[in-house]
Amino acid sequence: EVSLSESPTGFVSPDGRYVAYDNAQGVWLRRLDEPEPTRLLQEVGTQGVMCWAPDSQSLAIHVNARMRVVSIPGGAARDVGPTAWIP
């Protein structure tokens, strides 16, 4: 079982229906009206950098110096390309 408390940051979708978060097991998505999350990506290394599309239909995720976009709910991750990360 994975809980939001295992992650320091959750990103709530603009429509308020989802929260996305990352932890040591990957990137997770949870509908706020359902008890169990689903894993979007098994990859780690997001550094807590995610951004929702304004319509809540996709999520951009910074993973290991690359930008991935995932369609919501549960679509396949699409690699957009390399990113520059300046903390």
Side-chain angles (χ1 to χ4, degrees), residues 46-59:
T46 67
Q47 300 171 319
V49 179
M50 297 180 215
C51 180
W52 282 97
D55 63 3
S56 301
Q57 296 298 304
S58 60
L59 180 67

Side-chain angles (χ1 to χ4, degrees), residues 53-68:
D55 63 3
S56 301
Q57 296 298 304
S58 60
L59 180 67
I61 306 165
H62 177 267
V63 181
N64 298 322
R66 302 209 49 95
M67 185 61 65
R68 298 278 181 97

Side-chain angles (χ1 to χ4, degrees), residues 8-43:
T9 306
F11 297 86
V12 178
S13 64
D15 65 8
R17 295 180 357 173
Y18 301 97
V19 64
Y21 58 95
D22 66 328
N23 62 22
Q25 290 127 8
V27 178
W28 298 84
L29 178 72
R30 181 173 166 237
R31 278 186 62 113
L32 294 176
D33 61 351
E34 294 180 5
E36 296 298 320
T38 57
R39 187 178 357 221
L40 291 177
L41 296 173
Q42 288 188 326
E43 297 163 289

